[in-house]
Short mmCIF file of all heavy atoms in Angstrom, two decimals:
data_model
loop_
_atom_site.label_atom_id
_atom_site.label_comp_id
_atom_site.label_asym_id
_atom_site.label_seq_id
_atom_site.Cartn_x
_atom_site.Cartn_y
_atom_site.Cartn_z
N MET B 26 11.60 -3.84 47.78
CA MET B 26 10.48 -3.25 48.28
C MET B 26 9.27 -4.28 48.16
O MET B 26 9.02 -4.74 47.04
CB MET B 26 10.07 -1.85 47.69
CG MET B 26 8.86 -1.32 48.25
SD MET B 26 8.87 0.41 47.64
CE MET B 26 7.26 0.89 47.97
N CYS B 27 8.65 -4.69 49.21
CA CYS B 27 7.59 -5.63 49.18
C CYS B 27 6.18 -4.87 49.27
O CYS B 27 5.93 -4.27 50.38
CB CYS B 27 7.80 -6.73 50.14
SG CYS B 27 6.60 -7.93 50.18
N MET B 28 5.50 -5.01 48.26
CA MET B 28 4.08 -4.34 48.36
C MET B 28 3.02 -5.36 48.67
O MET B 28 3.08 -6.40 48.05
CB MET B 28 3.66 -3.59 46.97
CG MET B 28 4.69 -2.62 46.62
SD MET B 28 4.19 -0.88 47.19
CE MET B 28 2.67 -0.69 46.40
N GLU B 29 2.28 -5.16 49.69
CA GLU B 29 1.23 -6.08 49.94
C GLU B 29 0.16 -6.07 49.06
O GLU B 29 -0.34 -5.01 48.45
CB GLU B 29 0.56 -5.73 51.38
CG GLU B 29 -0.30 -6.83 51.99
CD GLU B 29 -0.62 -6.53 53.32
OE1 GLU B 29 0.24 -6.22 54.10
OE2 GLU B 29 -1.84 -6.73 53.67
N LYS B 30 -0.44 -7.16 48.58
CA LYS B 30 -1.40 -7.31 47.50
C LYS B 30 -2.72 -6.84 48.17
O LYS B 30 -3.08 -6.98 49.22
CB LYS B 30 -1.58 -8.72 47.06
CG LYS B 30 -0.42 -9.22 46.21
CD LYS B 30 -0.70 -10.53 45.75
CE LYS B 30 0.54 -10.89 44.75
NZ LYS B 30 0.29 -12.07 43.94
N THR B 31 -3.52 -6.21 47.23
CA THR B 31 -4.87 -5.71 47.61
C THR B 31 -5.72 -7.04 47.69
O THR B 31 -5.40 -8.14 47.22
CB THR B 31 -5.45 -4.91 46.41
OG1 THR B 31 -5.63 -5.64 45.33
CG2 THR B 31 -4.60 -3.58 46.21
N LEU B 32 -6.95 -6.82 48.31
CA LEU B 32 -7.82 -7.91 48.43
C LEU B 32 -8.23 -8.52 47.01
O LEU B 32 -8.30 -9.67 46.90
CB LEU B 32 -9.09 -7.51 49.29
CG LEU B 32 -10.05 -8.63 49.54
CD1 LEU B 32 -9.57 -9.75 50.23
CD2 LEU B 32 -11.25 -8.05 50.37
N TRP B 33 -8.47 -7.54 46.08
CA TRP B 33 -8.89 -8.01 44.73
C TRP B 33 -7.84 -8.89 44.17
O TRP B 33 -7.98 -9.89 43.54
CB TRP B 33 -9.27 -6.76 43.91
CG TRP B 33 -9.37 -7.11 42.38
CD1 TRP B 33 -8.70 -6.77 41.40
CD2 TRP B 33 -10.50 -7.94 41.89
NE1 TRP B 33 -9.02 -7.33 40.22
CE2 TRP B 33 -10.19 -8.12 40.50
CE3 TRP B 33 -11.52 -8.50 42.43
CZ2 TRP B 33 -11.07 -8.78 39.72
CZ3 TRP B 33 -12.31 -9.37 41.61
CH2 TRP B 33 -12.21 -9.43 40.26
N GLU B 34 -6.53 -8.41 44.34
CA GLU B 34 -5.34 -9.17 43.76
C GLU B 34 -5.20 -10.50 44.32
O GLU B 34 -5.04 -11.54 43.64
CB GLU B 34 -4.06 -8.46 44.01
CG GLU B 34 -4.02 -7.17 43.07
CD GLU B 34 -2.77 -6.33 43.49
OE1 GLU B 34 -2.38 -6.28 44.59
OE2 GLU B 34 -2.26 -5.44 42.67
N ARG B 35 -5.63 -10.69 45.66
CA ARG B 35 -5.58 -12.01 46.34
C ARG B 35 -6.65 -12.89 45.76
O ARG B 35 -6.55 -14.04 45.58
CB ARG B 35 -5.57 -11.85 47.84
CG ARG B 35 -4.30 -11.32 48.41
CD ARG B 35 -4.25 -11.28 49.87
NE ARG B 35 -4.88 -10.11 50.41
CZ ARG B 35 -5.66 -10.09 51.36
NH1 ARG B 35 -6.05 -11.21 52.02
NH2 ARG B 35 -6.36 -8.91 51.77
N VAL B 36 -7.99 -12.30 45.54
CA VAL B 36 -8.95 -13.04 45.01
C VAL B 36 -8.52 -13.48 43.64
O VAL B 36 -8.85 -14.73 43.29
CB VAL B 36 -10.25 -12.16 44.80
CG1 VAL B 36 -11.29 -12.71 43.93
CG2 VAL B 36 -10.79 -11.90 46.37
N VAL B 37 -8.09 -12.72 42.78
CA VAL B 37 -7.60 -13.12 41.38
C VAL B 37 -6.53 -14.28 41.55
O VAL B 37 -6.63 -15.17 40.71
CB VAL B 37 -7.10 -11.89 40.53
CG1 VAL B 37 -6.60 -12.38 39.29
CG2 VAL B 37 -8.22 -10.89 40.31
N ASP B 38 -5.61 -14.05 42.34
CA ASP B 38 -4.61 -15.07 42.53
C ASP B 38 -5.25 -16.44 42.90
O ASP B 38 -4.85 -17.51 42.41
CB ASP B 38 -3.58 -14.72 43.62
CG ASP B 38 -2.57 -13.70 43.18
OD1 ASP B 38 -2.57 -13.39 42.01
OD2 ASP B 38 -1.89 -13.17 44.07
N PHE B 39 -6.17 -16.46 43.81
CA PHE B 39 -6.89 -17.58 44.22
C PHE B 39 -7.62 -18.29 43.04
O PHE B 39 -7.58 -19.43 42.82
CB PHE B 39 -7.85 -17.36 45.37
CG PHE B 39 -8.56 -18.54 45.88
CD1 PHE B 39 -7.93 -19.52 46.67
CD2 PHE B 39 -9.88 -18.75 45.49
CE1 PHE B 39 -8.64 -20.54 47.17
CE2 PHE B 39 -10.60 -19.80 46.00
CZ PHE B 39 -9.92 -20.74 46.80
N HIS B 40 -8.29 -17.45 42.41
CA HIS B 40 -9.32 -17.90 41.22
C HIS B 40 -8.45 -18.30 39.97
O HIS B 40 -8.74 -19.24 39.21
CB HIS B 40 -10.25 -16.84 40.94
CG HIS B 40 -11.32 -17.24 39.98
ND1 HIS B 40 -12.11 -18.41 40.13
CD2 HIS B 40 -11.65 -16.71 38.77
CE1 HIS B 40 -12.84 -18.54 39.01
NE2 HIS B 40 -12.71 -17.51 38.20
N GLY B 41 -7.45 -17.57 39.81
CA GLY B 41 -6.62 -17.84 38.56
C GLY B 41 -6.84 -16.87 37.30
O GLY B 41 -5.88 -16.80 36.46
N HIS B 42 -7.76 -16.08 37.25
CA HIS B 42 -7.95 -15.09 36.28
C HIS B 42 -9.04 -14.13 36.72
O HIS B 42 -9.87 -14.34 37.66
CB HIS B 42 -8.42 -15.79 34.97
CG HIS B 42 -9.80 -16.43 35.01
ND1 HIS B 42 -9.88 -17.85 35.05
CD2 HIS B 42 -11.08 -16.01 35.09
CE1 HIS B 42 -11.23 -18.21 35.15
NE2 HIS B 42 -11.93 -17.11 35.09
N GLU B 43 -9.05 -12.94 36.01
CA GLU B 43 -10.13 -11.98 36.26
C GLU B 43 -11.32 -12.25 35.40
O GLU B 43 -11.14 -12.59 34.20
CB GLU B 43 -9.58 -10.54 35.88
CG GLU B 43 -8.50 -10.09 36.90
CD GLU B 43 -8.09 -8.70 36.62
OE1 GLU B 43 -9.11 -7.81 36.37
OE2 GLU B 43 -6.90 -8.36 36.63
N CYS B 44 -12.51 -12.14 35.93
CA CYS B 44 -13.67 -12.34 35.02
C CYS B 44 -14.86 -11.64 35.69
O CYS B 44 -14.77 -11.34 36.95
CB CYS B 44 -14.02 -13.86 34.78
SG CYS B 44 -14.41 -14.81 36.28
N ILE B 45 -15.95 -11.48 35.01
CA ILE B 45 -17.23 -10.77 35.47
C ILE B 45 -17.74 -11.61 36.61
O ILE B 45 -18.17 -10.95 37.59
CB ILE B 45 -18.21 -10.44 34.37
CG1 ILE B 45 -19.22 -9.65 34.87
CG2 ILE B 45 -18.81 -11.77 33.90
CD1 ILE B 45 -18.73 -8.17 35.15
N GLY B 46 -17.70 -12.89 36.67
CA GLY B 46 -18.25 -13.71 37.70
C GLY B 46 -17.50 -13.41 39.06
O GLY B 46 -18.12 -13.37 40.05
N LEU B 47 -16.19 -13.37 38.95
CA LEU B 47 -15.37 -13.12 40.14
C LEU B 47 -15.63 -11.70 40.64
O LEU B 47 -15.71 -11.63 41.82
CB LEU B 47 -13.85 -13.17 39.68
CG LEU B 47 -12.84 -13.36 40.81
CD1 LEU B 47 -13.08 -14.70 41.68
CD2 LEU B 47 -11.47 -13.30 40.31
N ALA B 48 -15.73 -10.82 39.72
CA ALA B 48 -15.95 -9.39 40.10
C ALA B 48 -17.31 -9.36 40.94
O ALA B 48 -17.53 -8.66 41.79
CB ALA B 48 -15.90 -8.46 38.89
N SER B 49 -18.49 -9.96 40.42
CA SER B 49 -19.72 -9.76 41.01
C SER B 49 -19.70 -10.48 42.37
O SER B 49 -20.21 -10.08 43.34
CB SER B 49 -20.75 -10.47 40.08
OG SER B 49 -20.59 -11.89 39.96
N GLY B 50 -18.94 -11.68 42.51
CA GLY B 50 -18.76 -12.35 43.79
C GLY B 50 -18.10 -11.40 44.70
O GLY B 50 -18.40 -11.41 45.90
N TYR B 51 -17.04 -10.72 44.25
CA TYR B 51 -16.26 -9.80 45.11
C TYR B 51 -17.12 -8.75 45.70
O TYR B 51 -17.11 -8.42 46.86
CB TYR B 51 -15.06 -9.31 44.25
CG TYR B 51 -14.19 -8.33 44.94
CD1 TYR B 51 -13.29 -8.72 45.84
CD2 TYR B 51 -14.27 -6.93 44.69
CE1 TYR B 51 -12.39 -7.89 46.56
CE2 TYR B 51 -13.47 -6.04 45.36
CZ TYR B 51 -12.52 -6.51 46.27
OH TYR B 51 -11.72 -5.60 46.79
N ARG B 52 -17.92 -8.16 44.82
CA ARG B 52 -18.86 -7.01 45.21
C ARG B 52 -19.87 -7.51 46.17
O ARG B 52 -20.14 -6.87 47.19
CB ARG B 52 -19.57 -6.43 44.02
CG ARG B 52 -18.62 -5.76 43.08
CD ARG B 52 -17.77 -4.53 43.65
NE ARG B 52 -18.68 -3.42 44.19
CZ ARG B 52 -18.86 -2.38 43.52
NH1 ARG B 52 -18.10 -2.00 42.41
NH2 ARG B 52 -19.73 -1.34 43.93
N VAL B 53 -20.45 -8.69 46.00
CA VAL B 53 -21.43 -9.21 46.88
C VAL B 53 -20.85 -9.52 48.19
O VAL B 53 -21.39 -9.27 49.22
CB VAL B 53 -22.00 -10.50 46.25
CG1 VAL B 53 -22.93 -11.35 47.38
CG2 VAL B 53 -22.88 -10.27 45.11
N ALA B 54 -19.68 -10.16 48.15
CA ALA B 54 -18.91 -10.46 49.52
C ALA B 54 -18.54 -9.25 50.26
O ALA B 54 -18.72 -9.12 51.42
CB ALA B 54 -17.76 -11.21 49.18
N GLU B 55 -18.09 -8.14 49.61
CA GLU B 55 -17.77 -6.89 50.21
C GLU B 55 -18.95 -6.20 50.79
O GLU B 55 -19.03 -5.79 51.92
CB GLU B 55 -17.12 -5.94 49.27
CG GLU B 55 -15.63 -6.24 49.05
CD GLU B 55 -14.80 -5.06 48.72
OE1 GLU B 55 -15.40 -4.25 47.90
OE2 GLU B 55 -13.73 -4.91 49.22
N ALA B 56 -20.15 -6.30 50.13
CA ALA B 56 -21.45 -5.76 50.54
C ALA B 56 -21.86 -6.55 51.95
O ALA B 56 -22.28 -5.95 52.86
CB ALA B 56 -22.40 -5.70 49.48
N ALA B 57 -21.76 -7.82 51.83
CA ALA B 57 -22.12 -8.71 53.06
C ALA B 57 -21.19 -8.39 54.19
O ALA B 57 -21.71 -8.28 55.34
CB ALA B 57 -22.01 -10.07 52.63
N MET B 58 -19.93 -8.29 53.95
CA MET B 58 -19.12 -7.94 55.04
C MET B 58 -19.27 -6.53 55.64
O MET B 58 -19.27 -6.32 56.89
CB MET B 58 -17.48 -8.00 54.60
CG MET B 58 -17.18 -9.34 54.13
SD MET B 58 -17.42 -10.66 55.30
CE MET B 58 -16.02 -10.41 56.44
N ASP B 59 -19.63 -5.67 54.75
CA ASP B 59 -20.05 -4.26 55.26
C ASP B 59 -21.31 -4.25 56.11
O ASP B 59 -21.37 -3.72 57.10
CB ASP B 59 -20.14 -3.23 54.15
CG ASP B 59 -18.90 -2.85 53.32
OD1 ASP B 59 -17.86 -3.10 54.05
OD2 ASP B 59 -18.89 -2.31 52.33
N ALA B 60 -22.23 -5.04 55.54
CA ALA B 60 -23.58 -5.10 56.29
C ALA B 60 -23.36 -5.83 57.62
O ALA B 60 -24.02 -5.45 58.67
CB ALA B 60 -24.54 -5.88 55.41
N LEU B 61 -22.65 -6.80 57.60
CA LEU B 61 -22.32 -7.66 58.83
C LEU B 61 -21.51 -6.79 59.88
O LEU B 61 -21.53 -7.07 61.11
CB LEU B 61 -21.74 -8.99 58.62
CG LEU B 61 -22.62 -9.90 57.78
CD1 LEU B 61 -21.91 -11.22 57.39
CD2 LEU B 61 -23.82 -10.37 58.71
N GLY B 62 -20.69 -5.95 59.47
CA GLY B 62 -19.75 -5.23 60.33
C GLY B 62 -18.94 -5.99 61.02
O GLY B 62 -18.43 -5.55 62.15
N ASP B 63 -18.50 -7.05 60.53
CA ASP B 63 -17.51 -7.87 61.33
C ASP B 63 -16.44 -8.27 60.49
O ASP B 63 -16.36 -8.08 59.22
CB ASP B 63 -18.36 -9.20 61.87
CG ASP B 63 -17.62 -9.80 63.09
OD1 ASP B 63 -16.61 -9.23 63.48
OD2 ASP B 63 -18.17 -10.71 63.59
N GLY B 64 -15.36 -8.83 61.01
CA GLY B 64 -14.22 -9.13 60.21
C GLY B 64 -14.31 -10.47 59.49
O GLY B 64 -15.35 -11.33 59.70
N ARG B 65 -13.35 -10.79 58.70
CA ARG B 65 -13.36 -12.05 57.90
C ARG B 65 -13.34 -13.23 58.84
O ARG B 65 -12.77 -13.22 59.95
CB ARG B 65 -11.93 -12.05 57.16
CG ARG B 65 -11.86 -13.05 56.16
CD ARG B 65 -10.43 -12.82 55.29
NE ARG B 65 -10.25 -13.79 54.42
CZ ARG B 65 -9.68 -14.89 54.47
NH1 ARG B 65 -9.21 -15.32 55.72
NH2 ARG B 65 -9.56 -15.80 53.47
N ASP B 66 -14.08 -14.29 58.41
CA ASP B 66 -14.01 -15.51 59.21
C ASP B 66 -12.64 -16.13 59.54
O ASP B 66 -11.71 -16.14 58.64
CB ASP B 66 -14.82 -16.66 58.50
CG ASP B 66 -14.82 -17.89 59.37
OD1 ASP B 66 -15.63 -17.92 60.32
OD2 ASP B 66 -14.04 -18.82 59.03
N ILE B 67 -12.43 -16.51 60.68
CA ILE B 67 -11.00 -17.05 61.10
C ILE B 67 -11.36 -18.40 61.57
O ILE B 67 -10.57 -19.41 61.14
CB ILE B 67 -10.31 -16.22 62.22
CG1 ILE B 67 -9.93 -14.77 61.65
CG2 ILE B 67 -9.05 -16.84 62.70
CD1 ILE B 67 -9.56 -13.87 62.70
N ASP B 68 -12.20 -18.57 62.59
CA ASP B 68 -12.41 -19.97 63.04
C ASP B 68 -13.84 -20.42 63.09
O ASP B 68 -14.43 -20.83 64.04
CB ASP B 68 -11.96 -19.97 64.55
CG ASP B 68 -11.67 -21.29 65.09
OD1 ASP B 68 -11.52 -22.21 64.33
OD2 ASP B 68 -11.66 -21.45 66.34
N GLU B 69 -14.43 -20.28 61.91
CA GLU B 69 -15.80 -20.87 61.60
C GLU B 69 -16.88 -20.15 62.43
O GLU B 69 -17.85 -20.73 62.77
CB GLU B 69 -15.87 -22.25 61.88
CG GLU B 69 -14.82 -23.17 60.94
CD GLU B 69 -14.67 -24.48 61.30
OE1 GLU B 69 -15.56 -25.11 61.86
OE2 GLU B 69 -13.53 -24.96 61.04
N GLU B 70 -16.76 -18.80 62.76
CA GLU B 70 -17.78 -18.22 63.36
C GLU B 70 -18.78 -17.60 62.44
O GLU B 70 -19.81 -16.91 62.80
CB GLU B 70 -17.23 -16.97 64.32
CG GLU B 70 -16.44 -15.91 63.52
CD GLU B 70 -15.06 -16.23 63.35
OE1 GLU B 70 -14.50 -17.42 63.76
OE2 GLU B 70 -14.24 -15.52 62.83
N MET B 71 -18.56 -17.74 61.10
CA MET B 71 -19.39 -17.25 60.05
C MET B 71 -19.90 -18.35 59.12
O MET B 71 -18.93 -19.19 58.91
CB MET B 71 -18.83 -16.19 59.38
CG MET B 71 -19.54 -15.45 58.19
SD MET B 71 -18.69 -14.21 57.23
CE MET B 71 -17.72 -13.26 58.40
N VAL B 72 -21.01 -18.34 58.57
CA VAL B 72 -21.33 -19.41 57.56
C VAL B 72 -21.85 -18.57 56.29
O VAL B 72 -22.65 -17.66 56.39
CB VAL B 72 -22.48 -20.17 58.09
CG1 VAL B 72 -23.01 -21.27 57.01
CG2 VAL B 72 -21.95 -21.06 59.21
N ALA B 73 -21.44 -19.06 55.17
CA ALA B 73 -21.94 -18.50 53.88
C ALA B 73 -22.66 -19.57 53.15
O ALA B 73 -22.22 -20.73 53.03
CB ALA B 73 -20.72 -17.94 52.99
N VAL B 74 -23.78 -19.21 52.51
CA VAL B 74 -24.51 -20.06 51.71
C VAL B 74 -24.51 -19.72 50.27
O VAL B 74 -24.88 -18.53 50.04
CB VAL B 74 -25.95 -20.25 52.23
CG1 VAL B 74 -26.84 -21.26 51.42
CG2 VAL B 74 -26.00 -20.68 53.74
N VAL B 75 -24.08 -20.44 49.25
CA VAL B 75 -24.17 -20.17 47.92
C VAL B 75 -25.12 -21.10 47.21
O VAL B 75 -25.15 -22.28 47.59
CB VAL B 75 -22.56 -20.15 47.39
CG1 VAL B 75 -21.78 -19.14 48.06
CG2 VAL B 75 -22.12 -21.55 47.45
N GLU B 76 -25.69 -20.54 46.15
CA GLU B 76 -26.59 -21.28 45.42
C GLU B 76 -26.18 -21.61 43.97
O GLU B 76 -27.07 -21.94 43.16
CB GLU B 76 -27.99 -20.46 45.45
CG GLU B 76 -28.46 -20.52 46.94
CD GLU B 76 -29.92 -19.87 47.04
OE1 GLU B 76 -30.19 -19.22 46.10
OE2 GLU B 76 -30.48 -20.16 47.89
N ASN B 77 -24.91 -21.49 43.71
CA ASN B 77 -24.42 -21.93 42.46
C ASN B 77 -22.84 -22.17 42.53
O ASN B 77 -22.37 -21.88 43.64
CB ASN B 77 -24.67 -20.88 41.17
CG ASN B 77 -24.06 -19.54 41.57
OD1 ASN B 77 -22.72 -19.64 41.71
ND2 ASN B 77 -24.84 -18.49 41.48
N ASP B 78 -22.36 -22.74 41.40
CA ASP B 78 -20.96 -23.00 41.58
C ASP B 78 -20.10 -22.16 40.48
O ASP B 78 -19.17 -22.54 39.93
CB ASP B 78 -20.57 -24.44 41.39
CG ASP B 78 -21.06 -25.02 40.02
OD1 ASP B 78 -21.76 -24.31 39.29
OD2 ASP B 78 -20.83 -26.24 39.68
N SER B 79 -20.52 -20.94 40.49
CA SER B 79 -19.85 -19.99 39.53
C SER B 79 -18.46 -19.41 40.06
O SER B 79 -18.16 -19.67 41.31
CB SER B 79 -20.81 -18.82 39.23
OG SER B 79 -20.90 -17.94 40.37
N CYS B 80 -17.80 -18.70 39.24
CA CYS B 80 -16.64 -18.07 39.65
C CYS B 80 -16.80 -17.24 40.92
O CYS B 80 -15.94 -17.04 41.57
CB CYS B 80 -16.03 -17.22 38.40
SG CYS B 80 -15.75 -18.12 36.91
N ALA B 81 -17.99 -16.68 41.00
CA ALA B 81 -18.21 -15.74 42.20
C ALA B 81 -17.99 -16.35 43.53
O ALA B 81 -17.46 -15.76 44.43
CB ALA B 81 -19.61 -15.38 42.16
N VAL B 82 -18.09 -17.68 43.56
CA VAL B 82 -17.92 -18.43 44.86
C VAL B 82 -16.58 -18.33 45.32
O VAL B 82 -16.14 -18.28 46.48
CB VAL B 82 -18.35 -19.83 44.84
CG1 VAL B 82 -18.15 -20.50 46.00
CG2 VAL B 82 -19.87 -19.94 44.40
N ASP B 83 -15.56 -18.35 44.42
CA ASP B 83 -14.09 -18.16 44.86
C ASP B 83 -13.84 -16.83 45.48
O ASP B 83 -13.18 -16.76 46.46
CB ASP B 83 -13.20 -18.32 43.62
CG ASP B 83 -12.94 -19.69 43.26
OD1 ASP B 83 -13.31 -20.75 43.97
OD2 ASP B 83 -12.38 -19.98 42.17
N ALA B 84 -14.49 -15.78 44.96
CA ALA B 84 -14.34 -14.40 45.72
C ALA B 84 -14.95 -14.41 47.03
O ALA B 84 -14.40 -14.04 47.94
CB ALA B 84 -14.88 -13.37 44.74
N ILE B 85 -16.10 -15.08 47.10
CA ILE B 85 -16.69 -15.06 48.41
C ILE B 85 -15.88 -15.81 49.48
O ILE B 85 -15.77 -15.59 50.56
CB ILE B 85 -18.23 -15.82 48.26
CG1 ILE B 85 -19.12 -14.87 47.52
CG2 ILE B 85 -18.84 -16.23 49.56
CD1 ILE B 85 -20.37 -15.46 47.02
N GLN B 86 -15.22 -16.93 48.97
CA GLN B 86 -14.26 -17.73 49.90
C GLN B 86 -13.21 -16.77 50.36
O GLN B 86 -12.88 -16.84 51.58
CB GLN B 86 -13.85 -18.91 49.17
CG GLN B 86 -14.76 -20.07 49.12
CD GLN B 86 -14.10 -21.20 48.50
OE1 GLN B 86 -13.88 -22.19 49.28
NE2 GLN B 86 -13.91 -21.49 47.18
N VAL B 87 -12.51 -16.09 49.46
CA VAL B 87 -11.33 -15.30 49.88
C VAL B 87 -11.77 -14.20 50.81
O VAL B 87 -11.24 -13.78 51.75
CB VAL B 87 -10.58 -14.87 48.58
CG1 VAL B 87 -9.50 -13.84 49.09
CG2 VAL B 87 -9.98 -16.10 47.79
N VAL B 88 -12.91 -13.46 50.29
CA VAL B 88 -13.33 -12.20 51.05
C VAL B 88 -13.91 -12.45 52.36
O VAL B 88 -13.55 -11.84 53.45
CB VAL B 88 -14.29 -11.45 50.24
CG1 VAL B 88 -14.83 -10.31 51.04
CG2 VAL B 88 -13.69 -10.90 49.00
N THR B 89 -14.72 -13.52 52.51
CA THR B 89 -15.32 -13.83 53.82
C THR B 89 -14.53 -14.74 54.62
O THR B 89 -14.67 -14.79 55.86
CB THR B 89 -16.71 -14.42 53.59
OG1 THR B 89 -16.50 -15.78 53.00
CG2 THR B 89 -17.68 -13.58 52.76
N GLY B 90 -13.82 -15.60 53.97
CA GLY B 90 -13.00 -16.61 54.80
C GLY B 90 -13.76 -17.91 54.97
O GLY B 90 -13.24 -18.73 55.63
N CYS B 91 -14.97 -17.96 54.43
CA CYS B 91 -15.77 -19.17 54.58
C CYS B 91 -15.43 -20.08 53.50
O CYS B 91 -15.33 -19.61 52.32
CB CYS B 91 -17.21 -18.85 54.49
SG CYS B 91 -17.92 -17.79 55.77
N THR B 92 -14.98 -21.27 53.71
CA THR B 92 -14.52 -22.15 52.73
C THR B 92 -15.23 -23.60 52.88
O THR B 92 -15.65 -23.93 53.89
CB THR B 92 -13.01 -22.41 52.85
OG1 THR B 92 -12.73 -23.17 54.08
CG2 THR B 92 -12.31 -21.06 52.81
N LEU B 93 -15.14 -24.30 51.75
CA LEU B 93 -15.61 -25.62 51.73
C LEU B 93 -14.91 -26.50 52.79
O LEU B 93 -15.36 -27.47 53.46
CB LEU B 93 -15.69 -26.27 50.42
CG LEU B 93 -16.69 -25.76 49.41
CD1 LEU B 93 -16.53 -26.34 47.98
CD2 LEU B 93 -18.07 -26.22 49.85
N GLY B 94 -13.71 -26.29 52.66
CA GLY B 94 -12.65 -27.13 53.64
C GLY B 94 -12.94 -26.91 55.00
O GLY B 94 -12.81 -27.85 55.85
N LYS B 95 -13.40 -25.76 55.45
CA LYS B 95 -13.68 -25.47 56.87
C LYS B 95 -15.04 -25.88 57.24
O LYS B 95 -15.46 -26.04 58.41
CB LYS B 95 -13.48 -24.04 57.29
CG LYS B 95 -11.95 -23.57 57.29
CD LYS B 95 -11.85 -22.34 58.02
CE LYS B 95 -12.38 -21.14 57.34
NZ LYS B 95 -12.02 -19.89 57.87
N GLY B 96 -15.88 -26.13 56.16
CA GLY B 96 -17.20 -26.57 56.38
C GLY B 96 -18.23 -25.46 56.60
O GLY B 96 -19.40 -25.70 56.92
N ASN B 97 -17.85 -24.19 56.40
CA ASN B 97 -18.71 -23.10 56.69
C ASN B 97 -19.07 -22.31 55.44
O ASN B 97 -19.59 -21.11 55.48
CB ASN B 97 -18.12 -22.12 57.79
CG ASN B 97 -16.85 -21.42 57.47
OD1 ASN B 97 -16.17 -21.83 56.44
ND2 ASN B 97 -16.47 -20.65 58.13
N LEU B 98 -18.76 -23.06 54.29
CA LEU B 98 -19.38 -22.51 52.98
C LEU B 98 -20.30 -23.69 52.61
O LEU B 98 -19.88 -24.82 52.30
CB LEU B 98 -18.29 -22.40 52.01
CG LEU B 98 -18.66 -21.86 50.52
CD1 LEU B 98 -19.34 -20.53 50.69
CD2 LEU B 98 -17.76 -21.88 49.60
N ILE B 99 -21.56 -23.39 52.48
CA ILE B 99 -22.64 -24.36 52.19
C ILE B 99 -23.00 -24.17 50.75
O ILE B 99 -23.35 -23.04 50.37
CB ILE B 99 -23.72 -24.27 53.16
CG1 ILE B 99 -23.24 -24.69 54.60
CG2 ILE B 99 -24.86 -25.29 52.81
CD1 ILE B 99 -24.27 -24.32 55.76
N PHE B 100 -22.98 -25.11 50.00
CA PHE B 100 -23.33 -25.11 48.56
C PHE B 100 -24.75 -25.78 48.38
O PHE B 100 -24.83 -26.98 48.54
CB PHE B 100 -22.28 -25.84 47.68
CG PHE B 100 -22.65 -26.04 46.30
CD1 PHE B 100 -22.95 -24.95 45.54
CD2 PHE B 100 -22.58 -27.31 45.62
CE1 PHE B 100 -23.38 -25.12 44.17
CE2 PHE B 100 -22.97 -27.41 44.35
CZ PHE B 100 -23.25 -26.20 43.61
N ARG B 101 -25.66 -25.03 47.99
CA ARG B 101 -27.05 -25.53 47.75
C ARG B 101 -27.40 -25.09 46.37
O ARG B 101 -27.81 -24.07 46.05
CB ARG B 101 -27.98 -24.83 48.71
CG ARG B 101 -27.96 -25.22 50.12
CD ARG B 101 -29.20 -24.76 50.80
NE ARG B 101 -29.00 -25.08 52.30
CZ ARG B 101 -29.37 -24.30 53.30
NH1 ARG B 101 -29.93 -23.17 52.95
NH2 ARG B 101 -29.13 -24.63 54.57
N ASP B 102 -27.12 -26.15 45.51
CA ASP B 102 -27.39 -25.93 44.06
C ASP B 102 -28.84 -25.68 43.77
O ASP B 102 -29.72 -26.32 44.38
CB ASP B 102 -26.84 -27.11 43.29
CG ASP B 102 -26.79 -26.90 41.91
OD1 ASP B 102 -26.82 -25.75 41.38
OD2 ASP B 102 -26.58 -28.01 41.07
ZN1 LIG F 225 -13.74 -16.93 36.39
#
């Protein structure tokens, strides 16, 4: 039997561990997705701007689909 992982489990897999920073990024990303009312980024139709390089950013990448590699995650320290 194959159980699909929850979004939180996928965030933890990506980040490597559970921590408060990851949890806060997860909550912020979910709130943003609820407010935007749109789905996860697939082809760079969304841009996320982050202002630190904390654990939270990994959750934002997984939840929103905005990544440094795609160029739609902007890091402004
Ligand atoms: Zn962490």
